[in-house]
Amino acid sequence: MSFGDPNNPYGPPQGQQPGYGPPQAPQGQPGYGYPQAPQGQPGYGYPQAPPLAQPYGGYPGGPVEMPGGVKAARVMLFILGGFQVLGGVMMMIASAWFADAFLDAAESDSSITSEDADTIAGFGAGLMIFFGVVVLAFAAWAIFTGVKFNSGRGGVRISAIVYASLVVLFSLLSLLGANVFALLSLVMGILIIVFCAKQDGGQWFNRPKY
């Protein structure tokens, strides 16, 4: 029997046999039996840190600073509220002047009795006071909405848009009565609507609470 016979079970192995001897590492792998980190990952078995918040867009946290348009809308709300406070106070003060002026006119007209003159003057003064209170209520609405811009959410945005829409409506009616000063409130009302309805305005008012 030849020692080199390939059929001899006691002879040495002929050439490399697969699966014979100690296990070999697969071709092209850095090591056998040890899991390797995926390509492009900082480390295996360690979770990646979440991405940092961005100041605008692209991150669920929303903007961390009030956008410029929203700031401008807030300032215009304060301006309109201040003018309305002044107008409401002036209307309430003018109610007394209106009553005195009507009484003086009634005394010169013999067809109107003093009792009727007092009644009409009192009604006119009360009407002026009522409108003054309404204007002051609008002023409080504008100022309170502007104050809530920093911490408020979607309801504050809707409040500002509704208020500005009413300002635009009353400004148009005043322009029909040749009140040129209403042009200023008309422009500010339109700008408030535009700035609050823009995308960055929506991101600001819809940002999550922490």
Side-chain angles (χ1 to χ4, degrees):
M1 181 181 293
S2 174
F3 186 79
D5 186 357
N7 296 320
N8 185 5
Y10 300 99
Q14 301 297 317
Q16 182 70 27
Q17 298 294 329
Y20 186 83
Q24 303 295 322
Q27 196 71 17
Q29 297 293 332
Y32 182 74
Y34 297 94
Q36 302 299 318
Q39 193 70 18
Q41 297 293 332
Y44 185 73
Y46 297 96
Q48 271 189 297
L52 295 177
Q54 302 298 323
Y56 288 97
Y59 189 75
V64 296
E65 182 180 356
M66 187 183 297
V70 179
K71 289 181 180 179
R74 186 187 192 190
V75 171
M76 285 185 283
L77 283 172
F78 289 144
I79 293 174
L80 288 172
F83 279 127
Q84 287 172 345
V85 167
L86 182 61
V89 172
M90 290 181 63
M91 290 178 70
M92 296 178 72
I93 294 175
S95 63
W97 173 85
F98 175 82
D100 292 338
F102 191 84
L103 285 174
D104 292 339
E107 289 177 355
S108 61
D109 189 352
S110 58
S111 62
I112 300 177
T113 63
S114 59
E115 290 81 5
D116 292 338
D118 290 337
T119 301
I120 296 175
F123 176 79
L127 193 62
M128 292 284 290
I129 294 175
F130 171 77
F131 281 119
V133 171
V134 171
V135 173
L136 288 176
F138 267 84
W141 182 6
I143 294 172
F144 179 76
T145 301
V147 169
K148 297 295 290 182
F149 262 43
N150 192 42
S151 60
R153 294 297 182 265
V156 176
R157 182 190 187 195
I158 295 174
S159 176
I161 292 176
V162 172
Y163 169 83
S165 301
L166 292 175
V167 168
V168 170
L169 175 62
F170 289 128
S171 298
L172 289 174
L173 294 176
S174 297
L175 285 175
L176 293 177
N179 182 9
V180 294
F181 296 103
L183 184 62
L184 179 61
S185 60
L186 175 64
V187 173
M188 287 194 290
I190 293 174
L191 289 177
I192 291 172
I193 296 173
V194 171
F195 289 146
C196 291
K198 286 177 62 178
Q199 182 179 2
D200 57 355
Q203 291 176 350
W204 171 256
F205 288 108
N206 293 326
R207 70 195 188 281
K209 290 184 177 181
Y210 296 106

